[in-house]
Amino acid sequence: MSPMPASDEEVLASAVAAFEAKAAALDAIAHEFQAQMARGLAGASGSLKMLRTFTRQPTGRERGRVVVVDWGGTKGRAGIVELAGGGSARVVAEEVFTFSEALKRGAVAPVFDVVAAAIGRVVDAQPAGAYPLGFVYSFPARLERIDRAVALALTKGWSLTGLEGQDVAGLLNEALRRHGLERITVTAVANDTVAALMLQSYRACGAGEAKTADIGLILGTGTNQAADLGPAGIRNLESGNFDGVAAIETPYDAALDRELQEPRPGAQRFEKMVSGRYLAEVLRRVLDDLGHRTSRFGWSSSAFATPFAVGSEHLSRIAADQTAALYQVDALLRGLGVTSTRPERHALRELSGAIVRRAARLVATALLGTLRFLDPEVAGRRTIAVDGSLWGGYPGFEALVRETLDELIGRERTTLIEIAFVKDSTSAGAAVIAAVAALQRSERCGSA
Ligand code: BGC
């Protein structure tokens, strides 16, 4: 006798359950993360690159006017930041610019031209004179000096022909020359996680309550951590590439990893289960599957038929709808070309919530890996500086991360962990890094 076919309710419930991540599995993943940090630092093979950053914690003496630029996700920013010392960083001017989809998959020079042109527009209004530039390059790069960063494979859907192996600071300097901006020179390159960490630490040099950051975390289009490892210096973990997640992977995750070309299968495994670029795509794939296996979600003619057409901002809006009939979800779906039933909206909300909840639990797990690396007992006070659109935009994300930490190491220990949201940290953070580099240079000259 063949088994009874599962009801729609049962199929839905098992899809939601597939995204559950139990504490025991997460604890094992945190230990593996910690072990891979050690392997990466020792130069052994593993998925955590533990890249050097050539910067150190700020002293509070960093001052001056710095040109900054941030390239690394969906949007770029160019700006001018004034550091007045003692924790004060003021963004004097800033321009947000976007990259077209064509630019993301083309030649190298046009992208640097877009970046240089934006810098040109913000510095035009500044008094004449030479300016240092802090460049936040939010992709993997192997730094050889604070102002030399060799590009590794790109992430977040970017793929530029011939970028890998080239120094991105040199490329930006060349583009600045092409734009007649000889007076601007890249003096520091850093990852966005390092910018978040450094801005928080710089603020800690002021009179307020802020504390020096041990960890910088970004959770937006992509995800990554930087950490101050003491004698090993501040490192860019490139934690989005962590691959020890197989124990909680679903068939949807495996298919996404297999089918995407950029980044290649096997790369950015953690990021593909956690960050804003991928979460809604995972949801879209689940809905497509359930559309075939249940009488719900027959939405094939809508945006849900197009990869990456749904974004994490949609997930945030779904979570924010508190109405019983989910009117806001209804409006959102109509905007995406879908007429839905009330049970479909409730199921959608449940699935979306399960996917984001798993992401938050994985974020907590990777943080625990780093915290344990810093101190196996997690017994001391720690500060994590966080920035990014998913963390800042998804209702209750931080609470989910905290709950998971409580579950994994107990409330007593997690109360010692401070999480500081450093919104829009890249510009001011880049300025701090450039100013630290200037002080380091002057110290070297002074000691000669
Ligand atoms: C990049 C990291 C970056 C993170 C957050 C990842 O895809 O590889 O370098 O820090 O996104 O922007």
Side-chain angles (χ1 to χ4, degrees), residues 167-186:
D167 165 30
V168 294
L171 289 171
L172 182 53
N173 278 329
E174 281 167 26
L176 290 167
R177 307 283 165 278
R178 286 200 292 281
H179 286 254
L181 293 164
E182 286 80 3
R183 64 196 181 103
I184 317 288
T185 311
V186 179

Side-chain angles (χ1 to χ4, degrees), residues 29-37 48 225 237 239 242 366 369-370:
I29 293 174
H31 279 295
E32 172 62 12
F33 190 94
Q34 183 191 350
Q36 288 216 23
M37 284 181 75
L48 293 176
Q225 281 184 48
L237 277 59
S239 58
F242 176 61
T370 307

Side-chain angles (χ1 to χ4, degrees), residues 302-326:
S302 66
F304 286 90
T306 314
F308 294 100
V310 196
S312 66
E313 65 286 1
H314 294 119
L315 305 189
S316 298
R317 283 173 58 193
I318 291 170
D321 189 350
Q322 300 296 336
T323 64
L326 298 179

Side-chain angles (χ1 to χ4, degrees), residues 6-340:
S7 70
D8 283 2
E9 296 307 328
E10 283 163 348
V11 176
L12 279 170
S14 78
V16 168
F19 289 93
E20 248 174 50
K22 299 243 162 55
L26 295 179
D27 190 57
I29 293 174
H31 279 295
E32 172 62 12
F33 190 94
Q34 183 191 350
Q36 288 216 23
M37 284 181 75
R39 284 212 289 282
L41 270 185
S45 67
S47 63
L48 293 176
K49 296 190 184 73
M50 308 301 296
L51 299 162
R52 295 177 70 189
T53 65
F54 291 88
T55 191
R56 59 154 196 230
Q57 294 279 6
T59 58
R61 288 183 288 115
E62 295 72 20
R63 287 172 183 277
R65 199 162 260 234
V66 184
V67 178
V68 293
V69 73
D70 164 21
W71 160 34
T74 320
K75 288 183 192 144
R77 282 169 200 264
I80 313 280
V81 176
E82 181 83 46
L83 299 178
S88 143
R90 191 168 63 90
V91 179
V92 178
E94 191 171 66
E95 185 193 297
V96 178
F97 55 98
T98 48
F99 298 97
S100 67
E101 283 305 311
L103 268 182
K104 291 183 183 175
R105 275 177 281 278
V108 171
V111 177
F112 280 91
D113 281 331
V114 166
V115 175
I119 295 169
R121 288 191 295 275
V122 295
V123 298
D124 261 1
Q126 295 301 307
Y131 288 93
L133 183 141
F135 177 15
V136 172
Y137 177 73
S138 305
F139 295 108
R142 201 171 292 284
L143 268 67
E144 294 178 348
R145 295 189 315 239
I146 186 66
D147 59 353
R148 190 177 158 78
V150 177
L152 302 172
L154 285 167
T155 54
K156 298 178 270 200
W158 283 76
S159 148
L160 300 179
T161 319
L163 181 68
E164 232 177 292
Q166 294 213 57
D167 165 30
V168 294
L171 289 171
L172 182 53
N173 278 329
E174 281 167 26
L176 290 167
R177 307 283 165 278
R178 286 200 292 281
H179 286 254
L181 293 164
E182 286 80 3
R183 64 196 181 103
I184 317 288
T185 311
V186 179
T187 57
V189 188
N191 190 258
D192 50 358
T193 53
V194 182
L197 182 153
M198 293 286 279
L199 178 61
Q200 167 66 22
S201 293
Y202 179 72
R203 287 187 180 154
C205 299
E209 300 279 281
K211 299 208 180 56
T212 301
D214 303 285
I215 297 174
L217 166 72
I218 300 288
L219 189 65
T221 308
T223 186
N224 188 13
Q225 281 184 48
D228 183 350
L229 304 182
I234 298 173
R235 296 285 178 135
N236 166 11
L237 277 59
E238 284 299 332
S239 58
N241 194 49
F242 176 61
D243 64 2
V245 285
I248 60 163
E249 191 187 72
T250 67
Y252 305 109
D253 302 300
L256 177 106
D257 178 54
R258 207 171 45 238
E259 288 163 21
L260 278 190
Q261 291 312 309
E262 307 295 344
R264 61 171 178 74
Q268 303 297 110
R269 294 304 294 269
F270 181 81
E271 182 162 276
K272 287 170 183 164
M273 293 164 83
V274 159
S275 81
R277 175 167 171 76
Y278 302 100
L279 290 187
E281 176 60 13
V282 173
L283 173 66
R284 193 192 68 79
R285 285 164 174 262
V286 176
L287 295 176
D288 181 59
D289 178 40
L290 297 182
H292 290 99
R293 293 167 53 214
T294 69
S295 62
R296 315 236 176 118
F297 308 119
W299 298 348
S300 53
S301 62
S302 66
F304 286 90
T306 314
F308 294 100
V310 196
S312 66
E313 65 286 1
H314 294 119
L315 305 189
S316 298
R317 283 173 58 193
I318 291 170
D321 189 350
Q322 300 296 336
T323 64
L326 298 179
Y327 289 122
Q328 283 141 30
V329 176
D330 187 31
L332 179 152
L333 288 173
R334 283 176 199 279
L336 293 170
V338 171
T339 316
S340 59

